[in-house]
């Protein structure tokens, strides 16, 4: 695994605004659909191979939501909740709960000017090109603090707290609350030796060169467990828990609290190439819980110029919606007036996209309230 891929995986685990609108998304021949595999759960298709998976709890229900950040569009997609532009090309996604309301806030760190842009909260300059963002709750007030780790010097800069020299070039930041005192602990993992260094505690050897740190609470004791994912054999090594084979060499580890069972779930994000002659197709219903007699927007991502059409499966009938053409941003909006759709019934939507003799299918759903 190359260094860039490893750092993007770490960013997804750790943690003037421009609105992208004219960017061209990856075409069907350079991007592939992606599947989330959650151990103990059902596989789910959501995202593209060129997306950055960024699972967080975006609605405050205590469960991790499937979500991706699409660099080609500077767009965020959260399954069953929303899809919107926020950021610029070259930004690093850093969604976390910065205001303490229990929901992750969409946010980006812009290396080109060192600014953090946090939607609906604030923007602040803190950091520079080459820094690794390390947002976490360092003071235990229930709000995530802005911070960066500077690999060139091994210095941590935490807004409102100052600078702490801890680590060296080549170290990977792995900050979390290891001792369950409510405050994030400054920590680095050194790939060259497999040693974990946490400020104020003794070093621990766990892991090997090429591994990706994936610290979470895997046994439900509310204390994070040292853990690594080894791409070479698709195995998760969790200290004091054991080794679990789940994944392959090209998967990206995305552990989270998806199933609501009190402990972190092992999960991977896998790019899966479409069959020959098929188009990329990804669909999201907005809102996920619409009121009766309102419009639902099924947002479809596919190749520019493709025609998208959806079949809506209601409780008592199936309705074919009006087609729409995928625009230059790779997006089509299938608007559907749901009338007096049955409250509480899950309306499934089957979407088909066609272009130049190619086809693609994808699915989404919504529940009228």
């Amino acid at each position: 695994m190359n260094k860039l891929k490893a750092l993007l995986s770490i960013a997804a685990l750790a943690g003037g605004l421009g609105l992208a609108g004219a960017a061209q998304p990856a075409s069907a021949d350079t991007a592939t659909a992606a599947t989330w595999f959650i151990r103990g759960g059902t596989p789910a298709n959501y995202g593209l191979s060129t997306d950055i998976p960024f699972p967080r709890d975006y609605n405050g229900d205590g469960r991790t939501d499937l979500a991706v950040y699409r660099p080609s569009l500077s767009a965020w997609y959260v399954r069953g909740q929303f899809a919107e532009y926020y950021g610029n090309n070259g930004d690093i996604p850093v969604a976390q709960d910065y205001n303490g309301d229990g929901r992750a806030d969409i946010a980006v760190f812009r290396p080109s000017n060192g600014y953090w842009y946090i939607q609906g909260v604030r923007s602040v300059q803190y950091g520079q090109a080459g820094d690794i963002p390390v947002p976490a709750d360092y003071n235990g007030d229930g709000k995530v603090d802005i911070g960066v780790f500077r690999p060139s010097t091994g210095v941590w800069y935490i807004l409102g707290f100052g600078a702490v020299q801890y680590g060296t070039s080549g170290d990977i930041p792995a900050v979390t609350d290891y001792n369950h005192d409510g405050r994030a602990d400054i920590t680095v993992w050194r790939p060259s030796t497999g040693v974990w260094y946490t400020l104020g505690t003794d070093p621990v050897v766990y892991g090997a060169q090429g591994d990706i740190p994936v610290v979470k609470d895997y046994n439900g004791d509310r204390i994070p467990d040292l853990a690594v994912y080894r791409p070479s054999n698709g195995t998760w090594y969790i200290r004091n828990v054991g080794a679990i084979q789940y994944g392959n060499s090209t998967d990206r580890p995305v552990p989270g609290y998806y199933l609501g069972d009190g402990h972190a779930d092992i999960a991977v994000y896998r790019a899966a190439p479409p069959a020959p002659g098929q188009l990329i197709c990804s669909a999201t219903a907005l809102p996920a819980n619409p009121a009766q007699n309102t419009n639902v927007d099924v947002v479809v991502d596919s190749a520019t110029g493709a025609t998208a059409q959806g079949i809506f499966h209601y409780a008592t009938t199936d309705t074919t919606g009006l087609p729409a053409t995928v625009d230059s941003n790779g997006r089509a909006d299938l608007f559907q007036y749901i009338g007096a759709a049955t409250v509480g019934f899950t309306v499934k939507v089957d979407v088909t996209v066609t272009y130049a003799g190619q086809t693609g299918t994808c699915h989404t759903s919504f529940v009228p309230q």
Side-chain angles (χ1 to χ4, degrees):
M1 171 171 289
N2 61 44
K3 186 175 181 181
L4 175 60
K5 185 175 179 182
L7 288 178
L8 286 176
S9 297
I10 301 309
L13 293 166
L17 182 65
L19 295 179
Q24 176 68 35
S27 62
D29 61 350
T30 59
T32 57
T35 302
W36 299 68
F37 292 92
I38 302 169
R39 189 168 182 258
T42 302
N45 297 113
Y46 197 73
L48 303 178
S49 61
T50 49
D51 292 344
I52 299 174
F54 219 87
R56 294 288 187 272
D57 180 6
Y58 291 90
N59 60 2
D61 67 354
R63 296 191 179 192
T64 301
D65 303 303
L66 304 191
V68 297
Y69 175 70
R70 187 159 299 164
S72 61
L73 289 176
S74 301
W76 295 76
Y77 298 84
V78 181
R79 190 186 188 208
Q81 296 182 43
F82 60 82
E84 59 182 276
Y85 297 116
Y86 195 80
N88 263 347
N89 188 34
D91 289 352
I92 298 173
V94 288
Q96 295 283 5
D97 181 11
Y98 293 94
N99 58 6
D101 66 355
R103 299 188 296 266
D105 305 299
I106 288 179
V108 294
F109 170 67
R110 188 163 299 165
S112 61
N113 62 9
Y115 264 87
W116 294 66
Y117 298 96
I118 306 171
Q119 189 182 54
V121 180
R122 63 171 171 167
S123 60
V124 61
Q125 187 176 29
Y126 201 76
Q128 63 183 36
D131 289 350
I132 298 174
V134 286
D137 182 5
Y138 292 93
N139 62 359
D141 65 353
K143 299 179 182 179
V144 169
D145 305 300
I146 289 172
V148 296
F149 172 69
R150 191 158 295 164
S152 60
T153 60
V155 176
W156 295 65
Y157 296 92
I158 303 169
L159 186 61
F161 298 90
V164 178
Q165 206 292 322
Y166 199 74
T168 188
S169 180
D171 288 351
I172 296 175
V175 60
T176 194
D177 180 11
Y178 289 92
N179 58 7
H180 193 51
D181 66 354
R183 297 187 296 258
D185 304 299
I186 290 177
T187 302
V188 296
W189 182 67
R190 191 159 296 165
S192 60
T193 60
V195 177
W196 299 73
Y197 296 93
T198 300
L199 187 63
T201 64
D202 295 330
V204 176
V205 179
Y206 199 76
Q209 183 80 39
D211 291 350
I212 299 173
V214 286
V215 176
K216 292 285 184 184
D217 173 17
Y218 293 95
N219 58 6
D221 65 356
R222 304 181 68 185
I223 298 176
D225 304 296
L226 297 186
V228 295
Y229 175 68
R230 188 161 297 166
S232 62
N233 61 10
T235 300
W236 297 66
Y237 296 92
I238 306 172
R239 189 171 184 244
N240 298 324
V241 175
I244 300 172
Q245 204 288 324
Y246 197 80
N248 62 37
S249 61
T250 59
D251 289 346
R252 299 182 230 182
V254 286
Y257 302 89
Y258 302 96
L259 305 179
D261 50 10
H263 61 77
D265 305 300
I266 288 174
V268 295
Y269 183 81
R270 179 176 301 168
Q278 287 193 336
L279 293 174
I280 292 299
C281 183
S282 176
T284 303
L286 303 175
N289 301 110
Q292 289 182 319
N293 301 308
T294 58
N295 283 312
V296 170
D297 180 11
V298 175
V299 180
V300 179
D301 290 279
S302 189
T304 296
T307 298
Q309 189 160 38
I311 298 178
F312 295 73
H313 301 281
Y314 296 98
T316 58
T317 186
D318 294 343
T319 300
T320 299
L322 294 175
T325 301
V326 178
D327 64 18
S328 61
N329 290 319
R331 170 173 171 160
D333 295 277
L334 302 178
F335 292 103
Q336 176 77 5
Y337 181 72
I338 65 173
T342 303
V343 171
F345 178 80
T346 299
V347 179
K348 296 181 180 180
V349 185
D350 296 326
V351 176
T352 300
V353 291
T354 57
Y355 180 70
Q358 296 181 312
T359 61
T361 60
C362 49
H363 314 275
T364 186
S365 63
F366 58 89
V367 181
Q369 302 296 302

